[in-house]
Amino acid sequence: MPSLKKNLFYNFILSASQLLLPLVSIPYVSRILRPEGIGKVSFIDSFTYYFISVAEFGVVVYGMREVARVRDNAEKKQKLVSELLALHVITSLCSLLLYIVAIFLVWDKIQDIRLLFFSLSFLLVNFFSCEWYFLGMEEFRYITLRSLTTRMAGLVSIFLLIKSPADYYIYYAIIVISAIANSIWNNILLFKKVGISFAGINWQRHIRYMWIIYLLDIFYSIPLMLDNLFLRLMSTDAAVGFYALSIKMAKLSSVLITDTLIVFFPRIVALIKSENQKQLQETILQNIQLIILFSVPVSCGIFFLSDKIINVFLGKNFSPAVADLKILSIYPFIKSYSLFLSKQILISHGNEKLFLKSTVISSITFVFLALILSYYFAHVGICFAVIIVEIIGLLINYFYVKKINVQLKVFSWYYFFQALAGTLLFIPIIYIINKILVSYIYIIILSILSCFIVYIFFLAFVFRNKFLLQVKTDVGKYFLNKRTHQ
């Protein structure tokens, strides 16, 4: 198996780019396109992605898990991948029909044929989506290099091509073309490596195993991808713009944490198959420690610096979004842990039905809360709806995890209180920096650096945090080995 540490390293680079590159582009795009332009793009983007989810038919999670199981059997792997690709093409055609009907229903909210063209192009190219194969094979080096290339090209294009508020459609075109490039790149490599053949395949055999995961994808996508759509139905483009960038910043801030789940997932599945309970528990605890260690300070930092973050990255036109970001500041911790419980525990153990129940309850609740709260409180209302539903989903997932395996340790209050104690130090640090500096950008930079250093040293040397001490040991061994070889 590929090294888990190497996978985490590549995944960290990928996640860091997903975090840092938008921090470069968002300040520029938000000031040029303004809330209305951002709202238009966010609406069509969410609309399109939902139908992509409909087309996936659970292939992403199912495919990643099944590829991890047959990774060392070339014949079984070729047959599996060919069947899943064929199935995805068929479900994509069904999704396309639903998409066409839906376009007629919401056209008055789009009213731009250019946005529709790029949306449809993305949906069509996604017929042969196969990212799940590379995730199941743990090819994180390839995924990282490919994504960095397309993301950098997209970033350069934003600064070269977007010059006025009327260029919102170009912004969406750049988003779509970057995604299409990733998809085509995947297909070229996949067909070379696996040797896809659609002759004599039996794609129908997977349906009975996938329908639960499919329903999971559909319901799970409702709060993730239809939030902008619900808000636009109840409010304005500007309200969507305020919320869309706030939730994007909240999601970006958690991406370094949630993306580690992808790295651990194939390993957890393999350990479950080998019935290695001791190593399974160790791997799960490592994942928990990583989530707590970073999600708690990230959430606290966003809350304390929300007004500065909005002012610096989005501009004065987005000042109403400060309230949104404060509400959403808890999102990194809640989302990360909820995903851990659902994907790393329930799905990896084959308990998709329990996760489906949790998702159905959360999604139905979200629809009602999103429509009602958006109608009365616009962008602030949808933020409350998101957080309430995430908390509900987390509690239900935790209940089900304990129901299936009461002995499995899936949280560490000790590490949680360590992290919480470390973040309490942020309050005096940020207060002092606010008294010394005037510029918001310098306050943010100095606050992040100071809080990060103090937090790491406090946990490592006061609490003797095992995870951090292990990282220190690994880094020391790496440089020692490097010096020895030289």
Side-chain angles (χ1 to χ4, degrees):
M1 276 190 182
S3 166
L4 190 60
K5 291 176 183 178
K6 284 185 178 180
N7 288 344
L8 283 170
F9 170 73
Y10 285 120
N11 196 71
F12 175 80
I13 295 175
L14 180 62
S15 301
S17 72
Q18 193 174 343
L19 172 64
L20 296 175
L21 295 184
L23 292 182
V24 177
S25 63
I26 285 176
Y28 179 78
V29 170
S30 62
R31 285 165 172 80
I32 298 295
L33 301 183
R34 299 172 187 172
E36 292 77 12
I38 296 294
K40 289 179 183 292
V41 172
S42 299
F43 176 79
I44 190 66
D45 194 41
S46 297
F47 179 82
T48 309
Y49 263 106
Y50 189 75
F51 286 95
I52 287 174
S53 296
V54 171
E56 280 177 356
F57 198 72
V59 170
V60 175
V61 175
Y62 177 82
M64 182 167 60
R65 187 179 67 188
E66 295 306 305
V67 166
R69 288 175 174 172
V70 301
R71 58 192 301 160
D72 298 321
N73 190 316
E75 184 179 346
K76 287 185 177 180
K77 184 169 62 176
Q78 180 190 29
K79 184 179 180 182
L80 171 70
V81 173
S82 300
E83 289 173 345
L84 293 182
L85 277 178
L87 177 59
H88 190 261
V89 171
I90 294 169
T91 56
S92 295
L93 286 170
C94 297
S95 179
L96 178 61
L97 296 176
L98 295 174
Y99 171 88
I100 293 170
V101 174
I103 283 293
F104 285 101
L105 297 177
V106 299
W107 177 248
D108 62 315
K109 303 296 182 182
I110 302 173
Q111 295 185 341
D112 193 321
I113 195 67
R114 297 167 299 184
L115 294 178
L116 179 59
F117 170 78
F118 291 115
S119 170
L120 182 59
S121 300
F122 188 17
L123 190 64
L124 292 174
V125 171
N126 201 69
F127 273 39
F128 287 91
S129 174
C130 58
E131 185 82 350
W132 43 268
Y133 168 79
F134 299 100
L135 292 171
M137 293 298 294
E138 298 188 56
E139 296 193 16
F140 291 96
R141 181 177 182 274
Y142 158 71
I143 294 172
T144 299
L145 295 176
R146 180 212 65 203
S147 299
L148 285 176
T149 302
T150 55
R151 285 174 185 173
M152 287 302 299
L155 180 65
V156 172
S157 300
I158 286 173
F159 286 104
L160 290 177
L161 301 177
I162 298 176
K163 301 297 181 183
S164 71
D167 293 335
Y168 62 86
Y169 75 95
I170 299 178
Y171 180 47
Y172 185 53
I174 294 170
I175 294 173
V176 168
I177 292 171
S178 297
I180 289 175
N182 281 334
S183 184
I184 294 175
W185 198 336
N186 281 348
N187 289 143
I188 293 172
L189 193 59
L190 178 69
F191 277 76
K192 283 183 178 179
K193 280 192 168 188
V194 181
I196 304 299
S197 174
F198 297 114
I201 61 172
N202 181 21
W203 54 266
Q204 297 94 330
R205 70 186 180 95
H206 299 284
I207 295 177
R208 64 181 178 140
Y209 303 109
M210 296 174 63
W211 69 270
I212 294 177
I213 298 177
Y214 178 55
L215 291 176
L216 271 173
D217 281 349
I218 295 299
F219 283 99
Y220 187 74
S221 299
I222 289 174
L224 281 179
M225 299 179 186
L226 296 185
D227 48 355
N228 290 319
L229 188 146
F230 290 149
L231 179 56
R232 180 62 186 91
L233 292 176
M234 297 291 106
S235 192
T236 63
D237 282 331
V240 176
F242 296 139
Y243 166 75
L245 288 187
S246 297
I247 190 65
K248 185 171 185 177
M249 296 180 80
K251 289 178 179 178
L252 286 173
S253 63
S254 63
V255 75
L256 288 172
I257 310 150
T258 56
D259 280 5
T260 64
L261 302 178
I262 299 174
V263 177
F264 279 92
F265 184 82
R267 188 60 49 87
I268 290 174
V269 171
L271 290 172
I272 292 171
K273 185 182 178 182
S274 66
E275 298 183 353
N276 191 335
Q277 292 299 315
K278 182 179 179 181
Q279 194 172 348
L280 173 64
Q281 180 66 86
E282 290 177 358
T283 304
I284 287 173
L285 285 175
Q286 286 177 349
N287 210 167
I288 294 169
Q289 292 169 21
L290 194 63
I291 289 170
I292 293 174
L293 180 67
F294 290 105
S295 65
V296 173
V298 166
S299 290
C300 292
I302 292 173
F303 181 83
F304 294 137
L305 295 169
S306 56
D307 56 333
K308 277 81 177 177
I309 292 172
I310 293 296
N311 186 280
V312 169
F313 290 103
L314 305 185
K316 293 181 179 179
N317 289 331
F318 283 82
S319 58
V322 172
D324 296 2
L325 196 56
K326 281 190 179 294
I327 297 166
L328 295 168
S329 61
I330 197 174
Y331 184 91
F333 172 71
I334 296 175
K335 190 64 179 180
S336 300
Y337 186 56
S338 183
L339 279 173
F340 165 79
L341 293 172
S342 57
K343 293 191 175 181
Q344 308 298 80
I345 309 299
L346 294 178
I347 291 181
S348 64
H349 282 78
N351 289 283
E352 291 88 353
K353 288 184 180 180
L354 293 178
F355 184 32
L356 176 60
K357 291 179 182 179
S358 167
T359 306
V360 170
I361 294 170
S362 300
S363 298
I364 292 174
T365 305
F366 177 76
V367 172
F368 284 103
L369 287 178
L371 293 174
I372 294 170
L373 294 179
S374 295
Y375 179 79
Y376 287 104
F377 305 106
H379 51 97
V380 172
I382 195 76
C383 291
F384 275 116
V386 168
I387 294 302
I388 292 170
V389 168
E390 289 294 340
I391 292 174
I392 292 172
L394 186 152
L395 294 175
I396 298 174
N397 287 335
Y398 185 84
F399 171 78
Y400 284 142
V401 166
K402 284 300 177 182
K403 185 179 179 180
I404 65 170
N405 191 342
V406 71
Q407 300 298 325
L408 192 65
K409 189 174 181 181
V410 293
F411 193 71
S412 173
W413 286 104
Y414 178 69
Y415 283 106
F416 177 75
F417 285 120
Q418 277 190 14
L420 207 57
T423 57
L424 289 177
L425 298 174
F426 293 1
I427 299 174
I429 292 173
I430 294 174
Y431 177 80
I432 293 170
I433 292 174
N434 271 283
K435 290 293 183 180
I436 296 173
L437 300 176
V438 176
S439 171
Y440 281 0
I441 183 65
Y442 292 131
I443 290 174
I444 292 174
I445 294 172
L446 186 58
S447 295
I448 291 174
L449 291 175
S450 302
C451 290
F452 176 77
I453 293 171
V454 171
Y455 176 78
I456 295 297
F457 273 83
F458 181 75
L459 263 62
F461 296 104
V462 176
F463 282 107
R464 306 296 294 175
N465 184 280
K466 291 182 180 179
F467 186 88
L468 290 175
L469 292 176
Q470 183 61 47
V471 171
K472 178 186 174 184
T473 302
D474 291 340
V475 172
K477 287 180 179 178
Y478 171 78
F479 283 108
L480 181 62
N481 291 335
K482 191 174 181 181
R483 189 180 302 170
T484 302
H485 287 302
Q486 287 176 346

